[in-house]
Amino acid sequence: MQPPAIQLIVEDHQALATVLRALCAAVERAGRSGRAPDFGDLRAMLFYLDEMPARVHHASESELLFPRIRERCPALRPVLDRLEAEHERGESAVRELGHALTAWEVMGEVHRESFELLLKTHADTYLGHMEVEESYVLPVAVDFLSPADWRELAEALEHQRGELGASMAQSHRALFTRITTHPCPRKEQP
Ligand SMILES: [Fe+2]
Ligand SMILES: [Fe+2]
């Protein structure tokens, strides 16, 4: 069985990948139909992709998990440096996407393509980032970290997320449910 700290990270990844793919699919559907998307839905997805990594997931990795892996497997330090730099770039890419979405919404179809291009680049990059963590970093960590490391990490993660507040966790879950169950109705093109 996987250590609980890894399960938590993988569950975050699954939720983030689901929302990223839902956002790409909603944009693609709008493109195929030739109609404007429901911008409120797209904004909710982008908000999740901004909020969850920046306030929760990246903090768990950069402040807790990665420092312990750095200690136990020095050979992984260059990869961890790259992943941490990608956290920062990912957060600014999502903010840029928010700006590009506003341009599409308020200035019209002429801005659709640049949003689509930015989204595709971000989705490919971030899915690749999570793939490196899951296929390369976490398996090595499982080999090198001790049971005591995993126990301490599980406690630290629980504490970190507890500090962030139960209400935040609840609102992230509610937002995730809204995103994954909402039928994303599309408006007629004005
Ligand atoms: Fe990461
Ligand atoms: Fe991650």
Side-chain angles (χ1 to χ4, degrees), residues 58-140:
H58 292 168
S60 295
E61 290 179 343
S62 296
E63 292 169 18
L64 300 173
L65 182 62
F66 289 1
R68 189 62 62 105
I69 300 176
R70 279 178 192 280
E71 266 177 57
R72 302 290 185 245
C73 335
L76 279 188
R77 285 176 189 171
V79 183
L80 297 173
D81 288 345
R82 200 190 87 201
L83 291 169
E84 288 193 30
E86 286 175 1
H87 288 169
E88 284 183 31
R89 280 203 296 276
E91 289 169 24
S92 48
V94 172
R95 283 191 287 275
E96 240 183 282
L97 272 167
H99 188 75
L101 185 67
T102 303
W104 180 10
E105 184 175 11
V106 303
M107 294 167 76
E109 279 299 293
V110 69
H111 289 274
R112 173 202 290 264
E113 199 182 338
S114 50
F115 177 80
E116 285 173 344
L117 286 173
L118 277 176
L119 176 61
K120 181 165 177 13
T121 305
H122 176 64
D124 290 347
T125 307
Y126 204 79
L127 291 170
H129 172 93
M130 294 191 289
E131 172 68 21
V132 170
E133 289 174 342
E134 283 188 34
S135 309
Y136 181 57
V137 174
L138 298 182
V140 176

